Amino acid sequence: MFYRKPIEERIAERQAKLRPLKEGKHFEHGPAKFVFISLITIVVLVHFVGLAIVMHFYS
């Protein structure tokens, strides 16, 4: 009854209105960035704690 553009065309129009992204200043997905930084932080902390435990028992 009412004409609506296909979703692909609506997405393409919306993306065409966006300004160009700055090189090196953009991370595509905010939640992915949060997960990535969190995992890196956890891995580094676990390594430091493990190193402290090993140094404590083998010194």
Side-chain angles (χ1 to χ4, degrees):
M1 206 165 142
F2 297 106
Y3 175 73
R4 230 175 135 166
K5 292 182 182 179
I7 189 147
E8 293 87 2
E9 289 182 23
R10 288 185 278 160
I11 291 172
E13 288 175 357
R14 197 175 318 133
Q15 287 180 341
K17 291 179 185 177
L18 296 176
R19 59 184 165 83
L21 303 175
K22 294 180 181 175
E23 189 69 32
K25 295 283 186 179
H26 180 73
F27 197 90
E28 187 76 26
H29 302 283
K33 179 181 179 181
F34 176 75
V35 170
F36 178 73
I37 299 296
S38 299
L39 286 176
I40 294 297
T41 304
I42 290 169
V43 167
V44 169
L45 288 174
V46 167
H47 277 83
F48 275 118
V49 169
L51 182 63
I53 291 171
V54 167
M55 289 175 66
H56 176 72
F57 285 112
Y58 289 106
S59 59

